[in-house]
Amino acid sequence: MYNVAVIAGGDSGEYEISLKTADNIFNQLDRKLFNPYLIHFKGSDWSYTSESGLKYVIDKNDFSLHIDGEHIVFDVAFIAIHGTPGENGKLQGYFEMIGQPYTGCDRFSSALTFNKYFCNLAVASIGVPISPSLHFYHDDPVDYDRIERVCGYPCFVKACNSGSSVGVTKVHNREEMAGAFAEAFKYDNQLMVEKFVRGRELTCGVTSVYGGIRVLAVTEVVASNEFYDYDAKYTAVGHKLLTPADIPADKERVVRDYAERIFHHLDCRGVVRVDFILSEDDGVPYFLEVNTIPGQTALSIVPGQVTYNNLDLKEFYTKMVKEAMEN
């Protein structure tokens, strides 16, 4: 039996979703193979609460627990934190320093993909189309004329280091820009202004746990809101998920190729979700972002894509744990 720490919480606006993702993973782990422990993170408070309600603090020297005289070490840390510190490379760096195996992408891939603007630059360098964008730090002057020239209206203002559409605003005119900047800067000290591409939102799960790189499916996201925002992602009434996406076969092949290419060149591991927008104007799938720890609640896309492929979720998570141990 292997001890698995399923890590939930974190310090971002995705805290509540992380708890749901971790709970789903925790329930799916095979009890014949694993002893799972649900570990809660909030700031520097890392802890485990027993079934009897007793709280035990994680020893950060070696990421272990001391319970009733027993020293519990973990064979694998299963990271289920969206946002900081689980998706931006911080936690991965700590685990690499102490030699703790963990699931998913390494510290560099996590940090790179978490920053929307710099990830865009990396993705464009491997031949995947991106929408025109501009980058601003908190103290940079806002060049409204340049924004209008490069991105036009409507456009999106996005906090660079944030996920689940937290800190994202669709801006329709110059008057709305200042408020969108203020909203994005609540979550990060840098933001990206990105040209709006009218089209269909597609997302593609990619995994390495079955040996090699495997594209799970292309899903179309039909959101009832203006875009696939936080509420749409995590409320059952906020969106419709169509798997497989009802798009032409040649477009599906291109999306799958781009997703596989991104997974390979950005050195991803475990399972990620790559988002695109299929343009109504030119038929090009434009890259949006990589989610290295995609939502895995009962409503989330990746578990749905796994089951669409007639794959067993329990076996899927078993393979994620074993991949981490092998690496």
Side-chain angles (χ1 to χ4, degrees):
M1 297 285 282
Y2 299 103
N3 292 332
V4 178
V6 181
I7 305 171
D11 305 309
S12 76
E14 301 171 90
Y15 173 85
E16 294 294 338
I17 301 306
S18 170
L19 299 183
K20 293 180 180 180
T21 286
D23 188 58
N24 191 40
I25 293 168
F26 180 86
N27 289 331
Q28 291 289 344
L29 285 174
D30 190 343
R31 297 307 196 270
K32 296 178 181 177
L33 299 174
F34 309 120
N35 292 317
Y37 293 77
L38 197 58
I39 308 299
H40 180 262
F41 276 39
K42 189 67 174 178
S44 60
D45 181 9
W46 303 2
S47 63
Y48 163 74
T49 301
S50 68
E51 292 182 359
S52 60
L54 295 176
K55 180 177 175 180
Y56 299 90
V57 176
I58 287 284
D59 184 343
K60 296 187 181 73
N61 291 302
D62 60 357
F63 194 70
S64 66
L65 284 170
H66 298 272
I67 299 177
D68 298 332
E70 182 182 2
H71 184 212
I72 299 170
V73 297
F74 297 104
D75 297 285
V76 170
F78 201 123
I79 303 176
I81 293 179
H82 311 305
T84 188
E87 202 168 9
N88 56 3
K90 292 183 178 180
L91 189 53
Q92 289 82 358
Y94 160 72
F95 283 146
E96 288 169 23
M97 288 179 67
I98 65 170
Q100 170 67 60
Y102 62 89
T103 56
C105 298
D106 68 14
R107 69 191 184 284
F108 177 75
S109 296
S110 299
L112 174 61
T113 56
F114 196 67
N115 186 295
K116 294 181 177 66
Y117 182 75
F118 292 110
C119 183
N120 265 13
L121 298 183
V123 166
S125 74
I126 58 173
V128 177
I130 64 169
S131 182
S133 62
L134 296 170
H135 181 245
F136 293 90
Y137 286 102
H138 190 275
D139 296 326
D140 289 343
V142 181
D143 188 338
Y144 291 99
D145 292 334
R146 187 171 179 230
I147 290 173
E148 190 164 347
R149 185 171 62 253
V150 173
C151 301
Y153 294 107
C155 61
F156 282 102
V157 174
K158 303 178 177 182
C160 282
N161 292 288
S162 184
S164 279
S165 301
V166 174
V168 176
T169 305
K170 188 176 182 181
V171 178
H172 302 85
N173 51 58
R174 182 178 293 206
E175 288 69 33
E176 294 178 1
M177 189 61 69
F181 267 57
E183 177 65 17
F185 284 138
K186 289 179 183 178
Y187 302 97
D188 194 19
N189 73 332
Q190 54 182 298
L191 60 77
M192 176 175 71
V193 183
E194 187 173 49
K195 180 181 177 66
F196 169 70
V197 177
R198 188 178 308 279
R200 299 164 69 178
E201 296 192 51
L202 306 174
T203 186
C204 191
V206 191
T207 184
S208 57
V209 303
Y210 293 98
I213 300 174
R214 178 170 180 171
V215 176
L216 293 172
V218 179
T219 296
E220 181 176 5
V221 180
V222 182
S224 57
N225 300 336
E226 273 206 277
F227 62 99
Y228 192 39
D229 61 9
Y230 185 93
D231 290 334
K233 287 179 180 179
Y234 299 115
T235 60
V237 297
H239 67 280
K240 183 191 297 182
L241 303 177
L242 305 177
T243 305
D246 185 16
I247 58 175
D250 60 328
K251 301 300 181 186
E252 181 182 4
R253 283 194 297 270
V254 171
V255 170
R256 293 172 70 95
D257 173 70
Y258 285 163
E260 184 174 350
R261 192 185 308 179
I262 289 166
F263 191 99
H264 172 68
H265 285 281
L266 273 56
D267 196 26
C268 297
R269 289 203 306 258
V271 64
V272 308
R273 207 189 72 228
V274 188
D275 297 345
F276 300 89
I277 187 86
L278 182 62
S279 171
E280 292 179 0
D281 297 324
D282 57 17
V284 171
Y286 289 91
F287 168 78
L288 292 178
E289 66 176 331
V290 180
N291 302 271
T292 55
I293 303 180
Q296 291 174 67
T297 72
L299 295 175
S300 296
I301 293 166
V302 165
Q305 292 184 344
V306 170
T307 55
Y308 165 76
N309 281 276
N310 295 316
L311 300 170
D312 183 73
L313 270 176
K314 184 174 291 187
E315 181 186 17
F316 177 73
Y317 290 125
T318 294
K319 288 184 177 295
M320 282 195 69
V321 172
K322 289 185 175 179
E323 180 189 58
M325 293 172 64
E326 290 167 1
N327 287 332

